[in-house]
Amino acid sequence: MKKLLFFAAFAVMGLTTINAQEFKIGVSGALPSGDVKDSYTFGINADFSYLFEVSDNFTAGPMAGVIHYFGDSVDLGGFGSVDIEDATFIPLGGAARMTLGESFVLGANLGYGLGVAPDGNDGGFYYKPMLGYMVSDAISILASYSGVSVDGGTFSSINLGVEFGL
């Protein structure tokens, strides 16, 4: 509940103190890594950010998204195999982007990843540092690493995708 109140306060302060804004939509493919690399085959991410200009080269604002990992079939040796259920998170939090020179962007998303699936997935702390190349004013190609820290491990992945500014 504290995290939700912090997110709401952050969003309200951003809406009332800054004039220029931009809506961004990002989509990416994810290769599971770390604790989940043997249990999940692939993932997809979608992020939605409403960024406000803080300075000439820095924007920040609220974000929401969805992360979905596709479960794999894990071989148990001579005891058969087990199918892992897909995992889904809905990250809510803040996003920041800093323009480096003419063509590069450095960014991060931080917040809480609400666990949607499978049953018993309570979610956890969400983080996503990223580095991108701006193809145009409205399109960036992004490489990122994302993770959701859950009880007993971390759902993490290496991601490659594109972000569109509207």
Side-chain angles (χ1 to χ4, degrees):
M1 186 58 148
K2 290 179 188 177
K3 293 174 186 168
L4 182 60
L5 291 174
F6 175 76
F7 174 74
F10 180 78
V12 169
M13 286 188 310
L15 289 172
T16 60
T17 60
I18 304 170
N19 296 333
Q21 63 268 347
E22 182 176 22
F23 185 68
K24 292 199 175 267
I25 298 173
V27 293
S28 62
L31 292 175
S33 63
D35 296 334
V36 297
K37 69 180 177 187
D38 295 329
S39 302
Y40 295 88
T41 58
F42 187 73
I44 54 174
N45 298 323
D47 296 324
F48 310 94
S49 305
Y50 196 64
L51 303 176
F52 300 91
E53 186 176 315
V54 177
S55 70
D56 288 341
N57 297 328
F58 185 75
T59 58
M63 65 77 52
V66 64
I67 303 170
H68 184 84
Y69 292 104
F70 298 97
D72 197 2
S73 182
V74 177
D75 185 22
L76 301 175
F79 301 102
S81 64
V82 80
D83 290 332
I84 304 296
E85 290 184 58
D86 293 358
T88 305
F89 296 91
I90 297 177
L92 299 172
R97 305 285 184 274
M98 181 178 2
T99 305
L100 305 172
E102 294 290 319
S103 301
F104 292 95
V105 61
L106 184 64
N109 295 350
L110 292 173
Y112 189 82
L114 301 170
V116 175
D119 288 337
N121 179 357
D122 294 329
F125 177 69
Y126 164 74
Y127 53 93
K128 184 178 182 180
M130 61 188 75
L131 178 63
Y133 178 77
M134 294 184 298
V135 177
S136 70
D137 287 340
I139 299 173
S140 296
I141 296 172
L142 298 175
S144 63
Y145 177 84
S146 64
V148 179
S149 298
V150 296
D151 287 339
T154 300
F155 276 83
S156 59
S157 61
I158 298 168
N159 315 300
L160 183 62
V162 63
E163 186 173 69
F164 303 96
L166 304 176

